Amino acid sequence: MEKIRFGLIGCGGMTRAHVPHILGIEGAEIVGLADTSSEQIARTKRCDPKLEFVPAFTDHKELLAAIRPNAVLISSPHSLHLSQAVDSFAAGANVLVEKPLGNTVSECRQMIQARDASGLKGAIAYQRHGQVIFQEIRRMMQSGVYGRLLMMNSHLSQEWLRLTKGSWRQDPALSGGGQLHDSGSHMVDILLWMTGLEAKQVSAFIDRRDSPVDINSVVNIVFNNGALGSLSIIGDAPMWQERHSFWFEGACIQIVDGGLFVTENSGKKMTMEFPHGGSSPAVNFVAALRGQDEIAAPFECGLQTMNLTEAAWMSAAKGGVPVAIAGV
């Protein structure tokens, strides 16, 4: 596939972040835009002069029928991902979708079924899968050099409640959930992807902070190898902060403010630096369509993330009662 003809479904801020990556790929072009907001379409067209005369539509089905793109980027409210992806596969377009994959485990499975039935490719825009630093940490964790993973703890704080107030992200009919389902999706995914583990059982507590969606969440996890995990998401914090700690049989690995620190059981301490950079989701997606690379974040990653997230919601609704992933 030499010419990659992208249709952009949803023209908000995340789409505009992808535009320069798509247009920077040799042989890739944007051939159609779809959004219910003329203002968002106009703002996206202003991203690059090449988009000035690109046809725009208010409905993604009209774009698919009129333009027949062979690839789409879906970056719309979460509740629209399923129908837009299924329609795109049916129209012969490969799908790159922003996170989360879907709002429920059932939706994620339907998207995987639609992908498989079409014979086309699907990817999620989990950008960390393509970043060198996270790839190297993943190789280190799964190499067995420090033995079995025993416990992990991850923390994310943001001004999410304030910054998304009044937007579709706090409307459960459009978002499907709150911060755990939004930026927290990256946290859940990266834990599962870097460690290679699957969640077995989840217990969670959630504080909505007078919002209709989850804002502050504490999620406790038992993994399939017996390891324990704790994930804290704070959505009404005054600042952004992200930290991860992983305790192995032979060492502790910590990611703090972008730095990587290793403390071995012997007492030896190391500060490690990996080269930043790598491949963006769009670059990886196009390379995969051309047979030059594997999909860095396939739909299955979104399903695993949703398995854990939905179990956390179910547990919180029951007052923190543990929920088995197999029962989701």
Side-chain angles (χ1 to χ4, degrees):
M1 186 181 294
E2 291 300 320
K3 201 72 170 179
I4 310 297
R5 303 171 62 254
F6 271 93
L8 306 185
I9 298 177
C11 293
M14 285 309 305
T15 294
R16 291 190 284 276
H18 286 287
V19 164
H21 294 284
I22 294 173
L23 295 180
I25 303 169
E26 184 176 356
E29 60 182 345
I30 295 171
V31 295
L33 310 176
D35 200 295
T36 56
S37 168
S38 58
E39 178 184 351
Q40 294 294 349
I41 288 174
R43 292 179 67 182
T44 298
K45 285 195 170 191
R46 289 197 292 270
C47 287
D48 192 286
K50 296 176 184 175
L51 302 182
E52 183 179 359
F53 299 107
V54 169
F57 305 86
T58 57
D59 187 285
H60 72 282
K61 291 183 180 180
E62 295 176 358
L63 182 153
L64 294 170
I67 304 299
R68 307 295 295 180
N70 54 16
V72 297
L73 166 66
I74 297 174
S75 186
S76 55
H78 308 155
S79 295
L80 303 178
H81 289 185
L82 174 61
S83 61
Q84 291 172 343
V86 169
D87 290 342
S88 297
F89 283 129
N94 299 276
V95 174
L96 172 62
V97 61
E98 262 297 337
K99 55 77 193 158
L101 182 62
N103 282 340
T104 65
V105 170
S106 175
E107 286 188 4
C108 293
R109 288 176 176 156
Q110 290 178 64
M111 291 175 74
I112 290 173
Q113 290 171 355
R115 177 203 64 188
D116 293 346
S118 71
L120 298 166
K121 295 186 182 296
I124 311 174
Y126 281 136
Q127 72 273 14
R128 297 180 180 190
H129 289 223
Q131 294 173 353
V132 173
I133 184 170
F134 288 102
Q135 292 173 343
E136 292 296 329
I137 295 171
R138 181 175 188 257
R139 278 192 279 270
M140 180 191 303
M141 287 186 174
Q142 296 189 26
S143 69
V145 64
Y146 293 124
R148 185 170 68 90
L149 178 64
L150 303 175
M151 191 165 179
M152 67 183 78
N153 174 268
S154 289
H155 160 89
L156 173 67
S157 64
Q158 289 178 301
E159 297 177 79
W160 196 90
L161 176 63
R162 181 180 66 83
L163 296 177
T164 64
K165 192 173 183 61
S167 76
W168 63 264
R169 294 182 187 277
Q170 289 194 41
D171 179 356
L174 291 174
S175 65
Q179 192 188 3
L180 178 61
H181 192 44
D182 191 30
S183 51
S185 176
H186 286 289
M187 299 287 287
V188 174
D189 164 72
I190 204 66
L191 289 182
L192 299 175
W193 182 71
M194 286 199 302
T195 63
L197 300 179
E198 293 182 8
K200 180 180 178 181
Q201 189 180 72
V202 173
S203 174
F205 297 90
I206 288 174
D207 183 353
R208 294 176 179 244
R209 304 296 292 146
D210 297 322
S211 168
V213 296
D214 52 273
I215 301 299
N216 295 338
S217 304
V218 175
V219 183
N220 296 312
I221 310 158
V222 179
F223 292 93
N224 58 346
N225 75 333
L228 304 178
S230 179
L231 173 65
S232 58
I233 302 290
I234 300 92
D236 61 348
M239 80 299 187
W240 177 89
Q241 186 181 69
E242 179 180 337
R243 298 187 174 187
H244 306 269
S245 295
F246 303 88
W247 287 270
F248 291 82
E249 291 173 316
C252 176
I253 297 176
Q254 293 179 294
I255 306 170
V256 180
D257 298 330
L260 179 64
F261 307 91
V262 179
T263 303
E264 297 183 350
N265 286 3
S266 64
K268 180 181 178 181
K269 296 183 178 181
M270 296 175 285
T271 299
M272 306 180 70
E273 293 186 6
F274 289 113
H276 291 271
S279 177
S280 72
V283 169
N284 166 256
F285 184 57
V286 170
L289 296 185
R290 291 172 170 164
Q292 300 166 346
D293 202 354
E294 297 294 325
I295 294 288
F299 280 6
E300 284 74 11
C301 291
L303 173 60
Q304 287 190 337
T305 297
M306 199 62 234
N307 273 333
L308 195 156
T309 303
E310 191 166 335
W313 288 336
M314 292 172 64
S315 173
K318 297 177 180 180
V321 173
V323 170
I325 294 295
V328 174

